[in-house]
Short mmCIF file of all heavy atoms in Angstrom, two decimals:
data_model
loop_
_atom_site.label_atom_id
_atom_site.label_comp_id
_atom_site.label_asym_id
_atom_site.label_seq_id
_atom_site.Cartn_x
_atom_site.Cartn_y
_atom_site.Cartn_z
N LEU A 1209 82.89 110.84 66.52
CA LEU A 1209 83.06 112.14 65.86
C LEU A 1209 84.06 113.02 66.59
O LEU A 1209 84.81 113.76 65.96
CB LEU A 1209 81.70 112.85 65.73
CG LEU A 1209 80.79 112.28 64.64
CD1 LEU A 1209 79.39 112.88 64.74
CD2 LEU A 1209 81.37 112.55 63.24
N ALA A 1212 87.29 111.79 65.28
CA ALA A 1212 87.46 112.01 63.84
C ALA A 1212 87.70 113.48 63.52
O ALA A 1212 88.47 113.82 62.61
CB ALA A 1212 86.24 111.51 63.08
N ARG A 1213 87.07 114.37 64.29
CA ARG A 1213 87.23 115.80 64.03
C ARG A 1213 88.64 116.28 64.31
O ARG A 1213 89.07 117.32 63.83
CB ARG A 1213 86.24 116.60 64.87
CG ARG A 1213 84.81 116.39 64.41
CD ARG A 1213 83.85 117.04 65.36
NE ARG A 1213 83.75 118.47 65.09
CZ ARG A 1213 82.98 119.29 65.78
NH1 ARG A 1213 82.26 118.84 66.78
NH2 ARG A 1213 82.93 120.56 65.48
N GLU A 1214 89.37 115.54 65.14
CA GLU A 1214 90.76 115.89 65.43
C GLU A 1214 91.72 115.17 64.49
O GLU A 1214 92.92 115.44 64.49
CB GLU A 1214 91.11 115.54 66.88
CG GLU A 1214 90.22 116.20 67.93
CD GLU A 1214 90.36 117.72 67.93
OE1 GLU A 1214 91.42 118.23 67.54
OE2 GLU A 1214 89.37 118.39 68.33
N GLY A 1215 91.20 114.21 63.73
CA GLY A 1215 92.08 113.41 62.88
C GLY A 1215 92.06 113.88 61.43
O GLY A 1215 91.12 114.54 61.00
N ASN A 1218 90.74 109.60 58.25
CA ASN A 1218 89.52 109.00 58.82
C ASN A 1218 88.94 108.04 57.80
O ASN A 1218 88.51 108.46 56.73
CB ASN A 1218 88.50 110.11 59.13
CG ASN A 1218 89.01 111.10 60.17
OD1 ASN A 1218 89.48 110.69 61.24
ND2 ASN A 1218 88.97 112.36 59.85
N MET C 869 91.82 123.24 66.52
CA MET C 869 90.39 123.46 66.35
C MET C 869 89.75 122.25 65.68
O MET C 869 90.28 121.72 64.72
CB MET C 869 90.17 124.69 65.46
CG MET C 869 88.77 125.25 65.52
SD MET C 869 88.57 126.61 64.33
CE MET C 869 88.86 125.81 62.77
N ALA C 870 88.64 121.83 66.19
CA ALA C 870 87.97 120.64 65.64
C ALA C 870 87.45 120.94 64.22
O ALA C 870 87.05 122.06 63.92
CB ALA C 870 86.82 120.23 66.53
N ALA C 871 87.52 119.92 63.39
CA ALA C 871 87.05 120.06 62.01
C ALA C 871 85.58 120.43 62.00
O ALA C 871 84.79 119.94 62.79
CB ALA C 871 87.28 118.76 61.25
N LYS C 872 85.23 121.27 61.06
CA LYS C 872 83.87 121.80 60.99
C LYS C 872 83.01 121.10 59.96
O LYS C 872 81.83 121.35 59.86
CB LYS C 872 83.92 123.29 60.66
CG LYS C 872 84.39 124.16 61.82
CD LYS C 872 83.19 124.64 62.64
CE LYS C 872 83.57 125.47 63.83
NZ LYS C 872 84.36 126.65 63.52
N SER C 873 83.63 120.33 59.10
CA SER C 873 82.77 119.77 58.06
C SER C 873 83.06 118.30 57.77
O SER C 873 84.13 117.78 58.06
CB SER C 873 82.86 120.59 56.78
OG SER C 873 84.13 120.47 56.23
N MET C 874 82.08 117.65 57.23
CA MET C 874 82.13 116.22 56.96
C MET C 874 81.45 115.96 55.62
O MET C 874 80.44 116.59 55.30
CB MET C 874 81.40 115.47 58.07
CG MET C 874 81.17 113.98 57.79
SD MET C 874 80.90 112.96 59.29
CE MET C 874 79.40 113.66 59.95
N LYS C 899 76.22 118.23 66.05
CA LYS C 899 77.38 118.85 66.69
C LYS C 899 77.76 120.18 66.02
O LYS C 899 78.81 120.74 66.32
CB LYS C 899 78.59 117.91 66.58
CG LYS C 899 78.68 116.87 67.69
CD LYS C 899 79.97 116.05 67.52
CE LYS C 899 80.10 114.98 68.57
NZ LYS C 899 80.44 115.50 69.92
N GLY C 900 76.97 120.59 65.04
CA GLY C 900 77.25 121.87 64.39
C GLY C 900 78.16 121.79 63.19
O GLY C 900 78.65 122.82 62.70
N MET C 901 78.42 120.57 62.70
CA MET C 901 79.26 120.45 61.51
C MET C 901 78.44 120.67 60.24
O MET C 901 77.24 120.40 60.22
CB MET C 901 79.90 119.05 61.45
CG MET C 901 80.79 118.73 62.64
SD MET C 901 81.39 116.99 62.61
CE MET C 901 82.78 117.14 61.45
N ASP C 902 79.11 121.16 59.20
CA ASP C 902 78.51 121.19 57.86
C ASP C 902 78.64 119.80 57.27
O ASP C 902 79.75 119.28 57.15
CB ASP C 902 79.27 122.15 56.95
CG ASP C 902 79.10 123.59 57.36
OD1 ASP C 902 77.99 123.94 57.79
OD2 ASP C 902 80.08 124.34 57.26
N GLU C 1000 87.16 120.84 51.48
CA GLU C 1000 87.00 121.75 52.62
C GLU C 1000 86.74 120.98 53.91
O GLU C 1000 86.73 121.56 54.98
CB GLU C 1000 85.82 122.71 52.38
CG GLU C 1000 85.93 123.55 51.12
CD GLU C 1000 87.12 124.51 51.15
OE1 GLU C 1000 87.53 124.90 52.25
OE2 GLU C 1000 87.64 124.83 50.06
N GLY C 1001 86.52 119.67 53.80
CA GLY C 1001 86.19 118.88 54.98
C GLY C 1001 87.38 118.11 55.52
O GLY C 1001 88.34 117.86 54.80
N HIS C 1002 87.29 117.72 56.76
CA HIS C 1002 88.34 116.89 57.33
C HIS C 1002 87.87 115.44 57.45
O HIS C 1002 88.65 114.53 57.33
CB HIS C 1002 88.75 117.39 58.72
CG HIS C 1002 89.76 118.47 58.65
ND1 HIS C 1002 89.43 119.76 58.36
CD2 HIS C 1002 91.12 118.45 58.78
CE1 HIS C 1002 90.54 120.50 58.34
NE2 HIS C 1002 91.57 119.73 58.60
N VAL C 1003 86.60 115.28 57.75
CA VAL C 1003 86.07 113.94 57.92
C VAL C 1003 85.34 113.58 56.63
O VAL C 1003 84.24 114.03 56.38
CB VAL C 1003 85.11 113.87 59.13
CG1 VAL C 1003 84.64 112.44 59.35
CG2 VAL C 1003 85.78 114.42 60.39
#
Side-chain angles (χ1 to χ4, degrees):
Chain A
L1209 285 170
R1213 291 172 81 181
E1214 303 296 333
N1218 298 309
Chain C
M869 197 185 62
K872 287 268 178 57
S873 67
M874 170 158 62
K899 274 183 182 287
M901 299 175 81
D902 292 323
E1000 303 296 333
H1002 275 79
V1003 184

